Every structure is written in structure tokens, then in C-alpha cells.
Amino acid sequence: MAVLDSGTRAERIAALGFDYAAQSKSRVERCNLCDESVFVGLTHRDRYGYAAAASGCSRCGLVFLDPVMSRDAYATFYMRTYRPLVSAFHGRLIDARTIQQEQREYAVERGDLLAPYIAGRGYRTLLDIGGSTGVVADAFARRFDLRATVVDPAPLETVQAQALGLETIEGLVEDVDLGARRFDTIVLCQTVDHLLDAAGTLNRVHQLLTPGGLLFVDIVDFRAAYLRNWSIEDAVKIDHPYYLTEMTIVAYLARAGFEIVRSDYAADHLHVSYVARPSPPQPDYLPPPTAVESLWREVRFVQNAPAARP
Ligand SMILES: [Zn+2]
């Protein structure tokens, strides 16, 4: 970590010695959202400089890493590489301790968004998927008088959650056995883009939620991410298998059986939050083809942004 404030970004990342090319990966055969198999290759490098390629689904507009690291490779990545990599990228230490102040502020803001939908409902339990250090789950638990459970794959972070007295389960939510347990509130805070199987997880969340329960999920809006730096590559990073937009998260939620009761553009102009309740699944729901067309047109325009006329 001594190298964090020295050298260029590329040098700091190289000093980590993470060999992305050597990680086990697989090609994506089917779109996770709509099951289509015709993709558009979009990029060949990510913001860290790794040779990570992203594709888009020609039918629904979902963007994803393709090929994508295996579950085991991601498990090791979260244990050893993720926070040091983000630290090297930003040139400052970001770890399970330093992120807590940011998480506390996040918990207040998102708590304000959730409050009207939790008040007076008699909710008792909270499941935080990808709950990291538990700071957000702890804040929600205290504010709304809920018993909180945190699921997260990073042991350095679940240790912090345990120290807060929360029930913690280490692992990827897709692998964790929660049996017949049900939760009144389920939150995926800055997590859905990190999942390996977003559709499977949202379907599972639908099962895990009590009838009349509440879901919170937020996305990094892919369009906001690439328009911010006028670069598709800068919006792609190996820690995010998925790059969601408003149209694709709306489709995911409809297909898994959630009705959006509130959406919110975050103050950072990057994240978009959704508060939703269970509803009958609409397994055939797709974004309008015209919206998918305009996404590809915009991506291509950003990639080909014309230089000034000589
Ligand atoms: Zn698709």
C-alpha cells in the first residue's frame, strides 16, 4: 500500500500484479436478461487497462463483460484484489475501514428514500445482499427497528459487520442457503452490477421477500458512466459483470416480479435507486426496441466522437 500516492495510475495498478488474462473465464452464451444469443461487441479494454471485453445484447440492450471471470475467480478477486485495485485506481487507500464514512452518508440518504415505504408496515427483518461492512444494514436496522442479516463474499468486510453485532453470512448470494427464511425488506446497495447472475438473484429475492415486503436496489447507470467521461472504456471495469441502464433494470424488475413504487436519481448523478414491491412476474417484458436502438447509436457516437475539423 506504500505505493498508493506515488507513480502513475497505470504503475500503481501494475504493482498489484493481478494477472487478469490468467483468470478463469467463460464466454457468455445467453443474455442474462432476455436469453437472446446475438450480441454486439462494444469494448476490448476496461478503465484499469485490463483486456476486459464488454458486449451488449442486440435485443434488450443489456451490457455485460464477455468473457466473464468464473465464480471462483471472483471469490478470490474479492478476497485479495478488489479494494487494493480500486485504491490503486484512485490513488488513495480504500478498504473495509475507510469506506465506512461514505457508507454512513449513503445509509442516511437512502434511508430517507425508504422511510415512507417502511413506516407503519410492521416490518421486522432486513436482508442486505452484498452488505459489505454492515454499516448500511446497521443504520437501517436501527432507524427502522429491523433485525439485519448481511450476505457478502469479502471476509475482511463481513468481519466488520460481525463487530456491529449483525448476523453475517459469507459468500455470494447465489450460493448461500437461506432455506425457508423470508425477509420483510431486502436491499441490494451498489451490488446488482457486481452479481454474476442478476436474473437468478432477483428471482431468488422475489422468493425471499415476504408478501407486501420491500425491495431496494440501485444501479450505476451505464449511460451516466460513459457520458461522464465521454468514454465507454472508462465506464467498464472488471468488478462489474453488468452495466445496467434505466431500461434494463426496469426490465429485470418487471420480469422478476417487482413493481417500482419510487425511483430516484442520486446526488452523484451516477446511481439510480429503485424502491419496489412484489408483483406478478412479467417474464416476457422487454425494453422497447427503439430504446435499445438509441442506446447503440449513442454508444457508437461516443466511441466515434468526431474530432474538430482540421
Ligand atoms: Zn438481452
Side-chain angles (χ1 to χ4, degrees), residues 1-21:
M1 282 299 155
V3 295
L4 272 184
D5 51 0
S6 64
T8 63
R9 173 177 280 172
E11 286 164 355
R12 293 193 302 266
I13 290 173
L16 296 173
F18 178 67
D19 188 352
Y20 182 70

Side-chain angles (χ1 to χ4, degrees), residues 30-39 56-62 64 286:
R30 294 269 168 190
C31 171
N32 183 261
L33 173 54
C34 79
D35 209 38
E36 172 64 64
S37 60
V38 179
F39 302 154
C57 171
S58 63
R59 179 161 68 169
C60 75
L62 181 69
F64 43 88
L286 282 173

Side-chain angles (χ1 to χ4, degrees), residues 83 95-104 128 130-139 150-168:
R83 297 287 183 200
D95 68 9
R97 266 198 304 276
T98 66
I99 57 175
Q100 295 192 25
Q101 183 52 35
E102 199 180 303
Q103 292 183 337
R104 272 189 282 273
D128 187 342
S132 177
T133 61
V135 166
V136 175
D138 184 55
V150 169
V151 177
D152 196 277
L156 286 175
E157 312 211 353
T158 50
V159 160
Q160 305 272 335
Q162 272 164 15
L164 291 171
L166 303 172
E167 180 192 13
T168 62

